[in-house]
Amino acid sequence: MKFFLQRVILSTLLVLSYIGNAQNENISLEGFVKDNNSNVVSSAHVSLKGTNFKTVTNNEGFYRFTKLPADKYTLFVSYVGKKTVKRKVDIIKGNKTTLNIVLENNIESLDEVLVSGKKGSPVTKRESSYVARLPIKNIENPQVYITVSDELMEKQLVTDFDAAFKNVVGAGIPVKYNQNRLVFYSRGFEVEPKIRNGLTTFNQNAIDPVNLERIEVLKGPSATLFGSSEVSYGGLLNRVTKKPYEGFGGSVAYSGGSWNLNRLTVDINTPVNESKTVLFRLNGAVHGEKSFQDAGFTNNIAFTPSLTYKINDKTQLNFDVEYTKTRGTSPVRHTVDTGDIANRSALDFIDYYNVSYASNDIFYTGENLDIFGELKYKLSENWTSSTSFARTQTSSDGYTSRIDGRSATTFRARVYNGHYGYNSTNLQQNFTGKFNFGTIKNKLVVGINYYNYGQDRDVTFINTSDFEYGSADYYNEFNKSYIDTQMADGSRTLRNQTTHTYSAYVSDVVNFTDNLSVMLSLRFDHFNDKGTYDILTGTLGEGFSQNALSPKLGLVYQILPEQLAVFGNCMNGFANQSGTSENGNSFNPEHANQIEGGVKFDIFKNKLSGSVSYYDIKVENIVREDPNDSDFDIQDGTQTSKGLEIEFIANPIKDFNVLMGFAYNESELQNTEDGEQDGLRPERSGPDKLFNWWMDYNVLGKSKNKLLIGLGGNTGSSSFQTNTVNETVTIPSYTVLDFGVTYEVDSFSFGIKANNLTDEQYWSYRLAPQKSRNFVANFAYNF
């Protein structure tokens, strides 16, 4: 080894002069690209105007052009969310020129064409123009929102949508409803992920995360800008999908793990033409996994192409399709009998934690198609028009089931078989601009919106006999042959429903000074419910029309510009209820008021950011689960919800990232018709205290390779499935820990993760046991 090193040193010295001259001739221009916080910007697009010299920066933000003819050039550097930089540069023969570039943030271009497939820090907050429908920064927004990036999900080896919610403050354990659709908690209310790229998409099946660029969770009532049809008082979730970018690239990845997990994903991006005005991207996934319990499985495929066409300098067309097909067994749903014992607990059924009450021949198939289109036109330097549409068709056919307790020791299954169909159409036109009244600056959005929702249902159900918990005799009836025979005498529902919502809204962010801004927003909705038509009886349920105004007032004062701000908001919202009671009557709209205040910060040169907020929400005419039949809802009473939310995102030292969140919520029902829940916490409010955290560190530091170690956890206090003055069913508190290691070398990455390290036994609201300790291994190739 010593002799080899001597030879290398000697050879280097002998040819040093020749190499130096050659390098000066070959390396004409090079440099680093960083942002205004001195962070490297990898995969930025670098080009020389009027030439074929184009490249992208590497992982260190470095670019290089060689063998440039001596001449005068114009260098262009661009990156999504940054202002494009243009620099004049003279290339002199025989000389090496170094030109370092600093890119500044440009919030107004966040939704433009991507120029690369790689982004920045995975736990740094991203600005978004979706959440306010205006190009304003997070610190200027008088509401709290949280983002979870695809990089963070990749670090955590996320293989399903519900795992992403571990990073959302106050989300709790996602609840899986029929067809494995997800619902999570926010501020004491359930939230369904029915917003996609800013438009409403009514998806009732499982969602694959393969084409997620990020998820955005906007806290609190948001009907003023997003409508009332599918928005919760606790907030909303917006799925932002991956968009095409100007370079060629992508990835192929495979994940395998416990319970026969097999997941293959692909991401391919390419310009379609030489001028790169037409860009195409394709994301896809094939996923298969068995249940950790004694039966059950989920299989799905996802196919998500997207296209961007930059028609000219002023006009851009975005179009994408999301198609998913799923086959699986019904998620566990267990209702406990409290007739013999008034106060029960999920721990009463700990001996049956691994029992699914399912059979692999009793399954459903689901299909979902989302089509999205957007035409953006730059009217002038300050005004932009955006015309968008989203159309969704979702359906499921087959079997779903639930377990109903009959006594302290017995149960029966209720099995449903049939067709569920849903469709929605959302059309939206926005005009966005900025203007001044003297020294007062305004950012304004004016929009109109049409939303149509329809459902049809042809479902029959039967009940099995009663069985002892743990009895193998149960499967003598819970099998396809027996159930199909009994369905001929089952109870059938055959009905359909259609609603229409016509809306107009305006929102103006007024900057009275550089530090003080006020958001003034107002929405008008006309909602028309045609009523539910029962085909079996030939009767049409009572329909109704409703006009409503939803105002919003927000205030932000930046104590330290771009670093520290106090904010407050006051909103009046409502929700048109498209469901029906047991007798088929439609529900009236709910009405809500929220007051919120807090502080946002982004300090120490972006090393610490986050928010602290207090909120108080009151909802009247509340729709809640029917305590006599959990298949239906009833409408009565008032729900109040108030609490505290804290989020911290820190980068205390280079390559070390920390994310932490805490949520405390007090919710109670008042003035209910039967009075059995007055003064008590609603079952669907989840735990009153929730804590989430994640930290990761690259132990290799400045090396071009990465060895990333991550550790995180989620803790929730006890909650209820049933909570009345006469009976309770308690869900115990929990703490779940996850640990992962990922090694990145060149274009390859290898990762392994242990989920639920301590093998905690815990349950969701529907008393569905959650996954025990499991392992995931991942291999990926990036090109």
Side-chain angles (χ1 to χ4, degrees), residues 48-230:
L48 295 174
K49 183 179 180 180
T51 74
N52 291 323
F53 289 97
K54 299 177 182 180
T55 188
V56 293
T57 55
N58 64 15
N59 289 336
E60 302 302 321
F62 182 74
Y63 74 93
R64 173 181 288 169
F65 292 112
T66 61
K67 298 182 179 179
L68 288 177
D71 206 342
K72 294 183 178 182
Y73 296 91
T74 301
L75 180 78
F76 280 87
V77 183
S78 58
Y79 186 77
V80 63
K82 307 290 185 182
K83 295 180 180 179
T84 298
V85 170
K86 180 172 64 175
R87 293 285 187 272
K88 300 288 187 181
V89 59
D90 291 341
I91 300 300
I92 300 173
K93 184 176 180 180
N95 289 349
K96 177 179 70 173
T97 301
T98 299
L99 182 58
N100 297 323
I101 301 296
V102 175
L103 298 179
E104 296 182 353
N105 291 332
N106 184 12
I107 183 66
E108 298 185 24
S109 68
L110 281 176
D111 298 318
E112 303 294 328
V113 178
L114 294 180
V115 295
S116 71
K118 301 294 182 181
K119 280 78 63 178
S121 173
V123 294
T124 299
K125 270 191 179 294
R126 293 189 180 184
E127 311 295 351
S128 171
S129 60
Y130 285 113
V131 296
R133 299 202 185 281
L134 282 168
I136 62 174
K137 298 178 180 179
N138 174 51
I139 205 163
E140 297 176 289
N141 196 320
Q143 273 187 277
V144 174
Y145 68 90
I146 294 167
T147 63
V148 181
S149 68
D150 60 335
E151 295 97 335
L152 181 57
M153 289 185 274
E154 288 174 7
K155 280 186 174 186
Q156 296 176 348
L157 301 188
V158 167
T159 59
D160 51 30
F161 191 39
D162 43 332
F165 292 102
K166 293 182 176 181
N167 304 293
V168 177
V169 178
I173 303 169
V175 182
K176 290 188 177 181
Y177 282 76
N178 295 345
Q179 296 84 39
N180 282 290
R181 65 183 177 91
L182 287 180
V183 172
F184 67 98
Y185 298 108
S186 181
R187 298 189 171 181
F189 299 92
E190 290 186 329
V191 179
E192 297 189 48
K194 291 183 177 177
I195 307 295
R196 181 178 181 271
N197 293 326
L199 297 181
T200 301
T201 56
F202 198 93
N203 187 335
Q204 286 293 92
N205 291 320
I207 296 172
D208 194 286
V210 66
N211 72 327
L212 283 179
E213 181 75 22
R214 64 185 182 271
I215 59 176
E216 301 173 342
V217 179
L218 181 58
K219 294 288 191 169
S222 303
T224 306
L225 292 177
F226 287 88
S228 61
S229 300
E230 304 301 336

Side-chain angles (χ1 to χ4, degrees), residues 296-539:
F297 69 91
T298 300
N299 297 324
N300 74 271
I301 61 170
F303 176 76
T304 61
S306 57
L307 181 76
T308 293
Y309 176 29
K310 192 171 183 181
I311 301 172
N312 52 48
D313 290 342
K314 292 185 176 181
T315 312
Q316 179 177 304
L317 175 66
N318 299 314
F319 180 81
D320 74 73
V321 175
E322 179 176 295
Y323 174 78
T324 56
K325 189 168 186 177
T326 305
R327 189 171 99 164
T329 51
S330 181
V332 174
R333 176 184 177 186
H334 184 190
T335 303
V336 176
D337 178 77
T338 54
D340 297 331
I341 305 173
N343 299 309
R344 306 293 303 273
S345 169
L347 293 173
D348 296 345
F349 304 92
I350 195 73
D351 292 339
Y352 314 111
Y353 194 84
N354 292 318
V355 177
S356 65
Y357 306 101
S359 176
N360 287 339
D361 66 344
I362 306 296
F363 59 84
Y364 70 91
T365 58
E367 195 169 26
N368 194 81
L369 177 66
D370 286 321
I371 302 174
F372 172 85
E374 178 186 40
L375 182 66
K376 285 188 172 183
Y377 180 73
K378 192 170 184 179
L379 299 169
S380 67
E381 187 66 28
N382 295 325
W383 287 91
T384 301
S385 167
S386 174
T387 306
S388 307
F389 80 90
R391 189 166 178 83
T392 300
Q393 179 176 306
T394 181
S395 64
S396 63
D397 297 90
Y399 304 88
T400 59
S401 61
R402 77 183 199 207
I403 301 302
D404 293 332
R406 303 288 286 167
S407 71
T409 59
T410 62
F411 74 96
R412 73 180 182 190
R414 174 170 289 190
V415 185
Y416 301 81
N417 183 29
H419 169 79
Y420 298 84
Y422 306 89
N423 60 80
S424 68
T425 301
N426 194 180
L427 303 175
Q428 188 175 103
Q429 172 65 50
N430 288 323
F431 295 98
T432 306
K434 55 185 179 180
F435 59 93
N436 297 338
F437 283 133
T439 59
I440 299 176
K441 300 177 181 178
N442 293 261
K443 291 182 179 179
L444 179 73
V445 59
V446 178
I448 56 175
N449 189 84
Y450 167 73
Y451 178 68
N452 165 256
Y453 160 81
Q455 65 152 299
D456 60 277
R457 179 176 298 185
D458 185 357
V459 179
T460 302
F461 78 83
I462 64 166
N463 295 316
T464 68
S465 303
D466 292 357
F467 297 94
E468 295 282 334
Y469 283 103
S471 171
D473 294 338
Y474 165 69
Y475 295 100
N476 293 332
E477 294 190 12
F478 197 84
N479 61 75
K480 189 176 187 300
S481 176
Y482 178 86
I483 289 172
D484 286 348
T485 301
Q486 298 299 309
M487 280 292 174
D489 298 320
S491 178
R492 186 184 183 192
T493 299
L494 181 59
R495 67 190 189 197
N496 58 50
Q497 181 188 23
T498 301
T499 68
H500 303 271
T501 307
Y502 307 86
S503 309
Y505 50 88
V506 59
S507 182
D508 188 11
V509 176
V510 184
N511 286 88
F512 291 100
T513 69
D514 290 341
N515 299 71
L516 177 64
S517 63
V518 176
M519 177 182 284
L520 301 169
S521 308
L522 181 66
R523 184 186 191 94
F524 170 78
D525 268 18
H526 173 72
F527 176 78
N528 180 250
D529 186 340
K530 297 295 185 180
T532 301
Y533 180 63
D534 190 322
I535 300 174
L536 295 177
T537 63
T539 58

Side-chain angles (χ1 to χ4, degrees), residues 4 97 123 489 508 524 561 587 614 655 657 666 672 763:
F4 173 76
T97 301
V123 294
D489 298 320
D508 188 11
F524 170 78
F587 295 127
Y614 174 82
D655 297 314
N657 299 299
E666 292 181 1
T672 58
W763 293 261

Side-chain angles (χ1 to χ4, degrees), residues 267-282:
D267 180 0
I268 300 174
N269 186 91
T270 183
V272 176
N273 57 0
E274 186 175 348
S275 61
K276 298 183 180 181
T277 57
V278 182
L279 310 172
F280 177 78
R281 188 169 186 175
L282 174 64

